[in-house]
């Protein structure tokens, strides 16, 4: 691929002075403009001789010429001939010298160039105003040595002055001075020794200084710009076309650039071809009119377009020769990356605008004076102002008085480049206040803070919630400390983290004595395995409710309790602790025992009449037969009847005493069949009196129980059944085995229990009887539960009631 050569960008025909391209290899002219050709015809001009001897000046007629030479490429130099001033004759008389002297003095005084004259000893004899202004001097220094002044003690400058005193001319030497306040000043120095007395010795030295400080500054800036431009051009892929016009067609003379590869274009395939042969019809219709207009008008043109998916910018520049367009240079740069960046910037701006526009937080922008420049809709909603009522105002106008000092502090910190976050209180249009969490973000441009973004999140609801949570926490802590139950907080391993006052009083331990110890300090050794099982249940996320057991105080004494274990979980479901709520059942147990005794006494009272009747009837029989025995002492039949009736009285009396006599709870292996048989026998006489038919069927079953308590339950249920049959009926009592349980069914065909009363059965002091207490069924349920059994009741109105009691068979518990 052909590269762009520097010589290709140079046209000697566009240079207004004699110019030519010279080949240093062949010592011959390659190309020359008409001005060069005309001048080269003069006898005095021999370009080859001039260049071979490296002369830089020659004279033709009354005019002098200077040859400027610059290399443009290896082996090729650009030559230009610059004309000088015409020579004039000079009068050599005193008037003329006097005139020149006056002119010389006037020029020194009025020229903007700095001029200073020193004598052969370096003493200042003359200086103009420009010199004094530049170096901040006064006439006081006249008569003093120039090089002894602080400003001029630059070694390089001193050396040039000494050479001038010795008679050597100096032109355009560059020297930098430090003036007064450390200001730097760069000058071009011209030093001209003079023999004013025409004795051949230097009497004075003229020093001319051109201040080029600004020029150097601009040159440095231009160099920086050039480096930046070259760097930019290196990053961009370009194509350069040189186009000439042949007849009515435009022909491509040159094509070069890395961008050709991207478009899969070979320079050899386009050089020498017309634009009709290179571009398709669509792009030809765009390019051809532009080239024609530039060729006719000589104007420059820049435009953007696309070609084969490439986004580019084209710059078309005409090359003028004798005021007419001779060629056209077209430079094409790939701006696809720039366009992509522009689109990304636009997209980013849109995203930013969307974030600001639709953010639920109020966002506002302040300048460095704290004046609001912009607000988003959320800020309008919170402050109840339209944006035009807020922009242009100082932000402090919207801050509560008690928060202004803190808000100003954070604003000042943001101006120093520090992002800050703080709490403030905003006041809206109606005077309402809202708590806001504010973040101040400095806006930096070129590492300078030009403003501040404020992002405010309304936390009024959160503050209110925190206050409520704080209040709730205080209430919970008060409940925890003063609850009527003992409460202990445990870690997942069952170690004590915290206990309340009631726990301390219940078990005699102080909190500091047991923190970190296992809750098993309340257990006996045989109870530890049961606690571990409970712990596994809680770790599985389940609750243990109303578990009745016995635990032990610090002094070893037992206390009957019921406890609830509840898991404490994170949002993720992870177990972080366990709460244990422990209720002292000692008082409750005492009350239950009193209730049992009360129920027993009530039952005894109800049965007293029947028992008395049962005893009275056998006694009447005995009395009658004893009267007969007086008449016949050999009557064995009557003696046997008397003996049977006495035995019956004994059974009834024993049953009556068994109910009335208080005794300790004592579990033992008991025949449920015998127990149920004796209970039915006990109540059978009452059934006969009421006209109730008793059906009794049993299987053999043995249970581990307190026989007195089970008999109390059975008699209580059968008594209730009899009360449901005041006008006679059927009482069916059955005992059968069901899986590992003995099932007792007591069924009557009485009036039944309505549904609205069924749900209250078992509640204390609720009874279906006119004078009942409701305590009998509750006690029965308690007794069966203590025997690890269950009791259930089914009843239908006008169909009767069935009570089912399940008790575990011995060895199946």
């Amino acid at each position: 691929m052909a590269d762009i050569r520097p010589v290709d960008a140079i046209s000697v025909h566009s240079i207004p002075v004699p110019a030519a391209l010279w080949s240093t290899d062949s010592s011959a002219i390659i190309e020359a403009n008409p001005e060069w050709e005309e001048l080269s015809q003069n006898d005095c001009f021999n370009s080859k001789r001039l260049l071979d001897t490296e002369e830089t000046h020659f004279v033709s007629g009354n005019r002098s010429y200077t040859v400027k030479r610059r290399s443009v490429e290896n082996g090729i130099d650009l030559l230009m001939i610059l004309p000088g001033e015409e020579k004039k004759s000079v009068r050599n008389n005193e008037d003329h010298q006097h005139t020149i002297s006056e002119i010389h003095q006037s020029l020194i005084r009025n020229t903007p160039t700095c001029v200073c004259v020193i004598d052969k000893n370096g003493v200042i004899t003359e200086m103009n105003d420009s010199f004094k202004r530049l170096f901040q001097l006064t006439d006081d220094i006249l008569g003093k040595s120039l090089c002894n002044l602080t400003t001029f003690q630059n070694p390089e400058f001193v050396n040039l002055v000494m050479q001038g005193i010795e008679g050597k001319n100096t032109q355009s030497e560059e020297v930098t001075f430090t003036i007064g306040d450390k200001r730097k000043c760069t000058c071009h120095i011209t030093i001209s020794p003079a023999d004013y007395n025409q004795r051949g010795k230097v009497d004075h030295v003229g020093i001319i200084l051109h201040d080029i400080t600004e020029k150097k500054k601009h040159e440095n800036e231009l160099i920086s710009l050039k480096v930046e431009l070259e760097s930019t051009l290196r990053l961009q892929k370009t194509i350069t076309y040189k186009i000439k016009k042949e007849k009515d067609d435009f022909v491509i003379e040159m094509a070069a650039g890395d961008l050709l590869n991207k478009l899969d274009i070979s320079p050899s395939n386009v050089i020498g071809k017309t634009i009709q042969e290179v571009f398709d019809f669509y792009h030809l219709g765009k390019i051809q009119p532009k080239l024609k207009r530039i060729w006719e008008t000589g104007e420059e043109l820049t435009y953007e377009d696309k070609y084969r998916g490439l986004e580019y910018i084209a710059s078309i520049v005409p090359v003028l020769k004798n005021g007419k367009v001779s060629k056209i240079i077209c430079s094409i740069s790939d701006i696809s990356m720039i366009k992509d960046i522009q689109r990304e910037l636009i997209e980013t701006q849109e995203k930013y605008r969307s974030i600001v526009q639709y953010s639920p937080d109020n966002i506002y922008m302040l300048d460095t004076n704290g004046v609001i420049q912009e607000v988003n809709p959320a800020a309008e909603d919170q402050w109840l102002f339209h944006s035009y009522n807020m922009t242009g105002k100082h932000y402090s106008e919207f801050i509560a008085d008690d928060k202004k000092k803190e808000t100003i502090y954070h604003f000042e910190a943001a101006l120093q480049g520090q992002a800050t976050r703080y709490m403030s209180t905003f006041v809206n249009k109606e005077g309402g206040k809202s708590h806001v969490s504010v973040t101040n973000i400095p806006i930096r441009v070129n590492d300078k803070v030009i403003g501040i973004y404020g992002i405010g999140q309304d936390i009024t609801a959160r503050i209110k919630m925190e206050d409520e949570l704080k209040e709730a926490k205080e209430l919970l802590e008060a409940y925890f400390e003063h609850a009527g139950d003992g409460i202990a907080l445990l870690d997942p391993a069952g170690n004590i983290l915290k206990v309340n006052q009631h726990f301390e009083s219940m078990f005699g331990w102080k909190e500091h004595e047991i923190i970190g110890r296992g809750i098993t300090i309340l257990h006996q050794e045989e109870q530890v395995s049961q606690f571990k099982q409970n712990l596994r249940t809680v770790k599985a996320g389940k609750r243990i409710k109303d578990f009745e057991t016995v635990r032990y105080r610090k002094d070893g004494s037992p206390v009957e309790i019921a406890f609830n274990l509840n898991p404490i979980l994170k949002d993720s479901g992870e177990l972080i602790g366990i709460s244990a709520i422990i209720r002292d059942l000692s008082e409750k147990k005492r009350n239950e025992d009193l209730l049992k005794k009360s129920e027993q006494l009530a039952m005894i009272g109800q049965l007293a009449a029947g028992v008395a009747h049962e005893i009275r009837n056998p006694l009447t029989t005995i009395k009658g037969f004893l009267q007969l025995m007086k008449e016949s002492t050999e009557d064995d039949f009557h003696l046997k009847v008397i003996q049977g009736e006495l035995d019956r009285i004994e059974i009834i009396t024993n049953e009556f005493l068994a109910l009335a006599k208080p005794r300790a709870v004592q579990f033992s292996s008991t025949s449920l069949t015998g127990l149920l048989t004796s209970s039915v026998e006990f109540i059978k006489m009452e059934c006969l009196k009421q006209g109730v038919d008793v059906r009794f069927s049993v299987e053999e079953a043995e249970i581990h129980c307190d026989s007195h308590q089970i008999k109390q339950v059975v008699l209580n249920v059968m008594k209730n059944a009899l009360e449901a049959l005041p006008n006679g009926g059927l009482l069916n009592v059955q005992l059968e085995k069901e899986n590992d349980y003995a099932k007792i069914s007591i069924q009557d065909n009485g009036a039944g229990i309505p549904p609205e009363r069924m749900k209250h059965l078992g509640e204390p002091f609720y009874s279906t009887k006119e004078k009942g207490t409701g305590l009998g069924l509750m006690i029965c349920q308690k007794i069966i539960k203590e025997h690890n059994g269950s009791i259930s009741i089914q009843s239908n109105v006008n169909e009767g009631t069935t009570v089912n009691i399940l008790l575990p068979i011995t060895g199946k518990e």
Side-chain angles (χ1 to χ4, degrees), residues 493-562:
N495 297 316
I496 298 171
L497 300 175
K498 187 176 179 63
V499 298
N500 67 349
Q501 295 177 3
H502 198 79
F503 183 97
E504 293 178 336
S505 62
M506 186 184 301
F507 294 104
W509 293 94
K510 294 297 182 181
E511 185 179 55
H512 69 272
E513 296 177 314
I514 56 175
I515 291 297
R517 298 179 65 179
I519 193 69
T520 50
I521 59 171
L522 308 179
H523 300 64
Q524 288 193 341
E525 186 176 350
E526 63 271 13
Q527 295 176 314
V528 173
S529 60
Q530 178 61 48
F531 172 73
K532 291 180 178 179
Q533 176 62 39
N534 292 340
L535 197 61
R536 286 192 291 271
T537 301
V538 175
K539 286 183 177 180
K542 299 178 182 178
R543 299 174 59 191
I544 295 178
K545 185 178 181 181
D546 296 333
F547 190 96
E548 294 189 7
T549 184
V550 176
R551 293 293 182 262
Y552 297 87
R553 298 184 178 90
K554 182 179 180 180
D555 60 7
S557 59
V559 54
E560 292 188 272
I561 64 166

Side-chain angles (χ1 to χ4, degrees), residues 17 63 117 195 333 392 435 493-494 573 585 587 595 602 651 680 684 690 739 742 771 783:
V17 297
R63 184 178 294 274
V117 179
D195 177 13
S333 299
H435 300 287
L585 298 182
E587 186 66 26
L595 286 173
I651 291 171
V680 170
K684 185 178 290 184
Q690 292 183 204
N739 297 327
K771 296 183 180 180
I783 291 172

Side-chain angles (χ1 to χ4, degrees), residues 185-314:
C185 175
T186 303
C187 297
H188 269 156
I189 307 296
T190 299
I191 296 180
S192 178
D195 177 13
Y196 294 140
N197 296 323
Q198 300 180 354
R199 293 175 301 182
K201 293 184 179 181
V202 174
D203 285 335
H204 291 79
V205 176
I207 303 173
I208 303 172
L209 301 96
H210 292 274
D211 185 2
I212 60 170
T213 306
E214 287 298 317
K215 179 183 176 183
K216 293 294 290 184
K217 178 180 177 183
H218 293 320
E219 284 178 355
N220 291 334
E221 290 176 353
L222 285 172
I223 291 171
S224 298
L225 289 173
K226 182 179 178 182
V227 171
E228 185 177 349
L229 178 60
E230 289 176 351
S231 179
T232 302
L233 290 174
R234 282 197 301 271
L235 293 174
Q236 291 187 350
K237 295 183 179 296
T238 62
I239 297 175
T240 301
Y241 290 116
K242 185 191 291 185
I243 301 173
K244 66 180 180 179
K245 191 173 185 182
E246 293 182 356
K247 297 181 181 180
D248 292 332
D249 289 335
F250 289 99
V251 178
I252 299 175
E253 277 192 329
M254 184 269 292
D258 292 340
L259 194 56
L260 290 169
N261 284 335
K262 188 170 184 178
L263 295 175
D264 197 22
I265 297 173
S266 172
S268 60
N269 291 337
V270 297
I271 294 175
K273 293 185 178 181
T274 64
I275 59 174
Q276 288 89 342
E277 296 174 296
V278 174
F279 298 104
D280 58 43
F281 178 78
Y282 174 76
H283 286 89
L284 181 65
K286 290 185 173 184
I287 296 170
Q288 193 171 37
K290 293 181 174 65
L291 294 176
K292 286 182 178 180
R293 188 175 70 190
I294 292 171
W295 195 271
E296 293 170 358
T297 64
E299 64 183 15
E300 296 182 4
L301 179 64
T302 301
Y303 68 95
E304 294 182 12
D305 207 338
K306 283 186 178 181
Y307 181 69
R308 295 186 184 179
L310 172 75
E311 293 180 281
Y312 67 87
I313 182 171

Side-chain angles (χ1 to χ4, degrees), residues 116-126 141-149 157-158 160-167 193-194 196 199 201-207:
C116 175
V117 179
I118 62 175
D119 63 16
K120 60 184 179 182
N121 296 316
V123 174
I124 302 170
T125 61
E126 189 177 354
I141 67 168
L142 290 173
K144 294 182 180 180
S145 174
L146 177 66
C147 294
N148 285 338
L149 298 177
F157 176 71
V158 172
L160 293 175
V161 171
M162 296 305 296
Q163 291 179 8
I165 293 173
E166 293 173 0
Y196 294 140
R199 293 175 301 182
K201 293 184 179 181
V202 174
D203 285 335
H204 291 79
V205 176
I207 303 173

Side-chain angles (χ1 to χ4, degrees), residues 332-369:
I332 299 172
S333 299
D334 181 2
I335 58 171
S336 301
M337 185 181 295
I338 295 174
K339 287 295 184 182
D340 289 340
I341 292 173
Q342 286 178 346
R343 283 188 284 269
E344 288 177 5
L345 285 173
I346 292 171
E347 183 179 349
T348 302
Q349 283 182 330
E350 290 299 322
K351 288 179 180 177
Y352 162 75
R353 203 171 279 118
S354 296
I355 291 172
V356 173
Q357 188 74 12
Y358 300 108
S359 172
D361 297 333
N362 56 75
I363 301 176
Y364 51 90
M365 185 178 74
L366 310 176
D367 64 14
T368 54
N369 295 317

Side-chain angles (χ1 to χ4, degrees), residues 666-672 701-707 809-811:
Q666 186 174 358
F667 281 70
S668 62
S669 182
T670 303
S671 172
L672 186 58
E702 191 169 302
I703 64 173
H704 191 69
C705 68
D706 184 305
S707 58
I809 297 173
T810 301

